[in-house]
Structure formats: C-alpha cells, structure tokens
Amino acid sequence: MKPFTAVRSESVAALGEVELIRRLGRWLAPVSPPSPRGMGDDCAVLPASRRPQLITVDPLIYGRHFDAGLAPERAGAKLLKRNLSDIAAMGGRPTAAVIALTLDPRVRIDWLRRFHRGLALCARRFGVSIVGGDVAQANGVLAASLTLLGCSTGGRFLERRGARPGDWIYVTGSLGASERSGHHWSFTPRLAEGAWLARRAEVRSMMDVSDGLAKDLWALAPPGTEPALEGAAVPLRRGAGLAEALGEGEDYELVLVVGARSPRAAFERAFKRAFPRTRLSCIGRFERPARIAPGSLRLRDYHGYEHLR
Amino acid sequence: MKPFTAVRSESVAALGEVELIRRLGRWLAPVSPPSPRGMGDDCAVLPASRRPQLITVDPLIYGRHFDAGLAPERAGAKLLKRNLSDIAAMGGRPTAAVIALTLDPRVRIDWLRRFHRGLALCARRFGVSIVGGDVAQANGVLAASLTLLGCSTGGRFLERRGARPGDWIYVTGSLGASERSGHHWSFTPRLAEGAWLARRAEVRSMMDVSDGLAKDLWALAPPGTEPALEGAAVPLRRGAGLAEALGEGEDYELVLVVGARSPRAAFERAFKRAFPRTRLSCIGRFERPARIAPGSLRLRDYHGYEHLR
C-alpha cells in the first residue's frame, strides 16, 4: 500500500492533530493503558521498578527500512520487533514504549491505521504497553522512532563485553537473504532465548546481529583477538551465500560467547531441550591473530552494512 | 549556521556511521556514563527506581522547530528543554534520555558537533544523563527525537485532570511572541517551579503551554465547564498582543489549577517567596457556561497552534 495520497480527504491533513491523536489512541487501545499510565498527559507515569531497567531506541523510516511493497501492519510490527531484538540481546523482558511519529501531511489515514494495528498486535503478543508519543510534521517524511523500556528477567543482563581469548562464538537461527526472504519483517525477536541464555553461567556476552556479522561481531571481540570462524559452520538462510550471511544485515539473531572451558556439549543439549525449534550453531572462537589456523575464515575479508556511507 | 554542506569532507557521509557514533560519544562525554549505563551496548542499563517514573518524547525537526538562523548549540538545548518542560509540567525531576538522530548524508559535521555541545551543556545543567541513541539516514532530513525519563521529586505527580468547576487558573511567566523574542530557545524549563507546585495542596492539576493557551487550556477544563478568563490578567510578553499570547504557542510556561476554596493570597505569597523572579498570574477560572460573566474573555474566540493543518 502506498503510504502517501494526493486525495486530501484520505490524508492525515484532513484530520488535523487533535483528531489524529484521538484515533491513535483508538488504534492502540488494546495495548494503551488509561492516562496517566498511558497517552493523554504531558508525560506518562510508569510504575516504580525494583529491578534494573533497559532502554533502547530504533526508528523505522520509509525508503530506508521499508517501502510501499510492505503491508502497513508488517511495517508497524517491524518497528517494535527491531527494538525487541535489542532487549532480547541483553536477556531482558520488554515493558513499555513511546513512539514519535514524523508525518508528511499527505500520509494516508488508512495506511497509518493499519500500521498501528500491526504494531498493537505485536505489542500485545510480547506484553508491551504503548504509553505515549508525539506527532510532528515534516514534508516528504514518513518515519517513526520507538523507545522501548525493559527490565531484567531475574538474572543478570548480558553485555557485549565479557569475552576472553579462546572463547567460543555461537549464533541462533540462520543468516543472510533477510530482505529477499521477508525475514526482515517476519522474524520473531529472540526474547525467550535471550532470557534463557542470560541465566546460563556458560554465556559470557551477547548482542544481536542487525548490520551483519562481519561488522557486528567485532563488538564482542576481546582486545588483541579476532574472530576465527569456520566458514562451513555459519548457518545460511536458504538462498544465501557466505558473503550475504556475513554482510547483509537485518538478521535479528543473537550472537553469543561461551567460555572456552565451559561444558559445551551439555550447554548445547540444554538449549536444544529448551528451544527444540531454534538452531544454535558454534561458528568459531576469538583467537589472538598468531593462533588462528591457516584455513580459518577471516572476518576482515567481509563487510557489514554501514549507515551513512 | 547552515546544517547542510555540499563539501563531502565536511559532511557526516565522510565519517560514516562507526566514526560518527564514536564522535557522538566524545561530544556527549560530560553527560554520558560508561557502558552499560550509557552508549555502547544493545540497550543502556538504568538503575532500579523506587519511585514512579515519567516518560515523554518530543522531536526537533529542521524546517519546523528551527532553521539555519538558530545557532546549533541553541537547537541542541531546545531539543532537551522541550522535553524538560513536559517533566516540569508533572512536577517531576529529569533523569536520563536517549536520542534518535535522522540525518541527511550532507549534514555538516561541525553543525552536529555544536548541536551536541549545546545539548550536553543543557543536560549537565539539569542533571540529565544521555544514555544512548540511534543514528539513521534519510535524504533531506535533519531531525532528532529525544525520549526523556524522570522521577518523582518526593510528592505526587500533577496530572491534567483534577480541576473542579469554580477553580482558579494560574500561569507562570508571560505568553506570546515566543519566536520573535527568541524565547522559544532561550526559555528555562520550569522544573523548580513544577516540583514546588506538586508539593502544594492548593494545586489540583497542571500542564505546560506549548501550542498556545487557547488550545492547551481545554485539557484542564472539568467536564461541563469552560475557561472564563480576564483578558487584562493574561501576562503578555513584551511585543505580544492578546491573540498572540493565547494562540502562538512555544511558551513553555506552566498553567495550573488552584482549588476554588484554597487560601489564594497565602499560596501566591508562598510562591513569591520561593520564586521571587517568576511571575505567577491568576487569569480566570473554570465556570459552567451559564455562570460566565458577560465581560469574560471566551477562549473559543481564539485558536492555538494545531499541527498537521
């Protein structure tokens, strides 16, 4: 569905801000608590939190993260799921979100309705309350920025740092061909897996793969090491080659580090029992350059997605 | 300063995302705690909060909220202050923020540096940590969306609802001519006043004036009433007439409701002692239409700023 319309009566300009915000409230009603816990005041009031919290922000921009070929419901869900993947990457549980919309006056009301319907269904599925937001106008723009809060699921948070030389690198699911396969909108954020992994002593650090392993994995590498991967072990999505799996991005999988001396076989068995349908692959380890075996795949030969290039 | 440049070496495209994020970290260093409390991981980790919290989000968009005539430092401070005004309006204290940037690749590095310098100085002044964010690309756009968290200052939060028929309407500072006078960027968010007012039993409800009193004040009106104002009591900024004071917006003042039977003189004296330099004006009361005196100013005759119109 094309998000812009030349017919004024079908556009958000025909509603104006006050009526648009009223409709946003209706569209989000299933996941939007009453004021002051939700929309309708200067701020939303959130309950006290006995546990440490998480915060992350990610946008969805027309022409960058989706186009007219993607159903609005799927775009709405994708906005939230991009953020959920960041909460999953720390082993957290999502709680509440606010959304800042930036709209051209020609944005179609019906597009926006369907976008919020997809967003609300996804929010309900993952237990997220939409507690507030903002609507602003900018010509030629259709963008939404979502800020998501989360909390601990009981254990620690898994950070990016924590790996040591010799540690093993694992990845969930499969990589590459995300755009072509529709994975970029159809993926399930790895919240359950992330929470489970945060409770396992074997796991030292974790992140999600969003810009491609070739770019992202460096963030987990202990100083003085680099990832030495076994090319054949990298789990490829159907239709993807190794370069696509390492460099395309939008995988929204978890990449995690398991201690060098951890009982790996028991860890892998326990994961398989907990998540029989989620693939978990050991793809290599962090090594000092001098120790890297000649046949290893060197990540420096591949490139991830870099914004603003 | 013009935010866009045709010289590639001066633009963010010459940096690329990774180097840009490194510089953002440097520019924000005075107010940016180390990871995982700040930038650098999938989410930022926030401490547990024993008190209820506040959350609000407001953007700053080139061409809407500022133009090339505004110094970048002032634009950066304005982004934060717009949000601080929402925290002030509930009587809260700001704590932490995340920022989503949307940038055309031609955005000038030096513009962005100065923008973040202004933002960081303002954040330090008001005790706000900048804990994370996101950078995305969109052609022709220069926009930043800031999500701000806050907490209670000890008492309750002041909501928009709570007024009763006959209650008095007060406003801080003066209204109108915000753009012309530079008030729209030079204002001081009323955080101290808001926190003080939230501890006063006389005050029933409060909000900030951002789209003009003529639009905003309705949100405080008890059902079945409307604001009956005394035109001569509305505090005008130098150079502003009544229509501008009621309709222009960007005032970032507090409008609050004091109970009909409250000891008003004592309340006003106490405010004056606490804030000798902040004007506080009683401008009218909420009345049932039948009880409104013939000479009263009727807010329906004026219009506030409505977005998307």
Side-chain angles (χ1 to χ4, degrees):
Chain A
M1 183 187 216
K2 285 190 186 153
F4 297 110
T5 175
V7 183
R8 199 184 134 85
S9 64
E10 297 173 357
S11 75
V12 292
L15 294 182
E17 181 200 7
V18 174
E19 173 61 18
L20 174 59
I21 290 174
R22 212 180 58 79
R23 296 211 189 177
L24 290 174
R26 211 167 66 201
W27 299 334
L28 292 172
V31 292
S32 170
S35 174
R37 292 265 159 138
M39 297 163 69
D41 218 305
D42 296 281
C43 302
V45 177
L46 300 168
S49 162
R50 261 180 264 165
R51 296 176 179 171
Q53 303 168 90
L54 296 173
I55 188 166
T56 186
V57 58
D58 248 332
L60 195 80
I61 302 171
Y62 181 63
R64 299 295 302 181
H65 304 105
F66 71 101
D67 59 25
L70 188 65
E73 291 86 350
R74 291 173 175 174
K78 181 175 178 179
L79 169 63
L80 180 54
K81 290 198 289 184
R82 277 165 62 85
N83 283 282
L84 289 169
S85 187
D86 284 319
I87 299 283
M90 308 279 292
R93 180 172 67 76
T95 53
V98 293
I99 303 170
L101 290 175
T102 309
L103 304 177
D104 185 288
R106 294 166 306 148
V107 166
R108 204 183 283 276
I109 300 166
D110 206 48
W111 189 93
L112 216 52
R113 181 185 63 76
R114 291 177 55 189
F115 176 88
H116 283 88
R117 195 178 154 207
L119 179 65
L121 280 172
C122 181
R124 191 160 62 180
R125 176 177 167 201
F126 291 102
V128 177
S129 297
I130 311 282
V131 300
D134 181 78
V135 178
Q137 178 179 336
N139 293 336
V141 180
L142 170 55
S145 173
L146 187 140
T147 303
L148 183 59
L149 293 172
C151 66
S152 156
T153 50
R156 61 191 168 153
F157 292 126
L158 281 174
E159 299 175 28
R160 292 182 174 187
R161 66 179 171 194
R164 296 180 207 163
D167 282 355
W168 298 96
I169 304 164
Y170 283 79
V171 65
T172 61
S174 52
L175 305 175
S178 176
E179 173 122 26
R180 221 178 329 145
S181 65
H183 178 76
H184 74 104
W185 62 262
S186 69
F187 71 98
T188 300
R190 300 290 191 192
L191 285 160
E193 292 89 343
W196 186 91
L197 290 162
R199 285 195 300 271
R200 297 293 300 201
E202 298 94 335
V203 183
R204 288 205 213 269
S205 62
M206 185 160 73
M207 71 185 295
D208 79 327
V209 190
S210 53
D211 290 337
L213 209 57
K215 178 183 163 198
D216 291 339
L217 192 48
W218 294 98
L220 297 179
T225 72
E226 56 178 273
L229 303 186
E230 193 187 332
V234 175
L236 308 179
R237 189 178 315 287
R238 184 206 288 260
L242 192 58
E244 290 163 307
L246 296 177
E248 273 188 351
E250 296 231 54
D251 296 305
Y252 304 111
E253 294 292 350
L254 298 176
V255 54
L256 51 127
V257 175
V258 168
R261 295 184 195 165
S262 295
R264 284 170 55 213
F267 168 72
E268 290 174 15
R269 274 196 310 273
F271 185 90
K272 195 162 190 137
R273 268 198 310 276
F275 303 100
R277 288 155 70 181
T278 305
R279 195 166 166 180
L280 181 71
S281 310
C282 180
I283 59 173
R285 57 202 304 184
F286 289 112
E287 294 280 23
R288 301 193 192 283
R291 294 199 52 180
I292 295 180
S296 287
L297 188 159
R298 300 289 283 262
L299 216 49
R300 290 196 193 284
D301 302 334
Y302 296 85
H303 295 283
Y305 181 80
E306 190 170 7
H307 304 261
L308 288 170
R309 280 285 188 190
Chain B
M1 182 187 219
K2 284 190 185 153
F4 297 110
T5 175
V7 184
R8 199 185 133 84
S9 64
E10 297 173 357
S11 74
V12 293
L15 294 181
E17 180 200 7
V18 174
E19 173 61 18
L20 174 60
I21 291 175
R22 211 179 59 78
R23 296 210 189 178
L24 290 174
R26 212 167 65 200
W27 299 333
L28 293 172
V31 292
S32 170
S35 173
R37 291 267 159 136
M39 299 164 68
D41 219 305
D42 296 280
C43 301
V45 176
L46 300 168
S49 162
R50 262 180 262 163
R51 296 177 180 171
Q53 302 168 90
L54 296 173
I55 187 167
T56 185
V57 59
D58 248 332
L60 195 80
I61 301 171
Y62 181 63
R64 300 295 302 181
H65 304 105
F66 71 100
D67 58 26
L70 188 64
E73 292 86 351
R74 292 172 175 175
K78 180 175 178 179
L79 168 63
L80 180 55
K81 290 199 289 184
R82 278 165 61 85
N83 283 281
L84 289 169
S85 187
D86 285 318
I87 299 282
M90 308 280 291
R93 181 173 66 78
T95 52
V98 293
I99 303 170
L101 290 174
T102 309
L103 304 176
D104 186 288
R106 294 166 305 147
V107 167
R108 205 183 283 275
I109 299 166
D110 205 48
W111 190 94
L112 217 52
R113 180 185 64 77
R114 291 178 55 189
F115 176 87
H116 283 87
R117 194 177 153 207
L119 179 65
L121 280 172
C122 182
R124 191 159 62 179
R125 177 176 167 200
F126 291 103
V128 177
S129 298
I130 312 282
V131 300
D134 182 77
V135 177
Q137 178 179 336
N139 293 334
V141 181
L142 170 54
S145 173
L146 188 139
T147 303
L148 183 59
L149 294 172
C151 66
S152 156
T153 50
R156 62 195 166 147
F157 291 126
L158 280 174
E159 297 175 30
R160 292 182 174 186
R161 64 179 172 195
R164 298 180 206 162
D167 282 355
W168 298 96
I169 305 165
Y170 282 79
V171 66
T172 61
S174 51
L175 305 175
S178 176
E179 172 123 24
R180 220 177 330 143
S181 64
H183 178 76
H184 73 104
W185 62 262
S186 69
F187 70 99
T188 299
R190 299 292 191 191
L191 285 160
E193 293 88 344
W196 186 91
L197 290 162
R199 285 195 299 271
R200 296 294 299 203
E202 300 94 335
V203 184
R204 289 205 211 272
S205 61
M206 187 161 70
M207 70 184 296
D208 77 328
V209 190
S210 53
D211 291 337
L213 210 57
K215 178 183 164 200
D216 291 340
L217 192 49
W218 294 99
L220 297 180
T225 73
E226 55 178 273
L229 302 187
E230 192 187 333
V234 175
L236 307 179
R237 189 179 313 287
R238 183 204 288 259
L242 193 58
E244 291 162 308
L246 296 176
E248 272 186 353
E250 296 230 55
D251 297 305
Y252 304 111
E253 293 292 351
L254 298 177
V255 53
L256 51 127
V257 176
V258 168
R261 294 185 196 166
S262 296
R264 283 169 56 212
F267 168 72
E268 291 173 13
R269 274 197 310 273
F271 185 90
K272 196 164 189 135
R273 268 198 309 277
F275 303 100
R277 289 155 70 179
T278 305
R279 195 165 167 180
L280 181 70
S281 311
C282 181
I283 58 173
R285 55 202 305 185
F286 289 112
E287 293 281 22
R288 301 193 193 283
R291 295 199 50 179
I292 294 180
S296 288
L297 188 159
R298 300 291 282 262
L299 217 48
R300 290 194 194 285
D301 302 334
Y302 297 85
H303 295 283
Y305 181 81
E306 190 171 13
H307 304 261
L308 288 169
R309 278 286 187 190

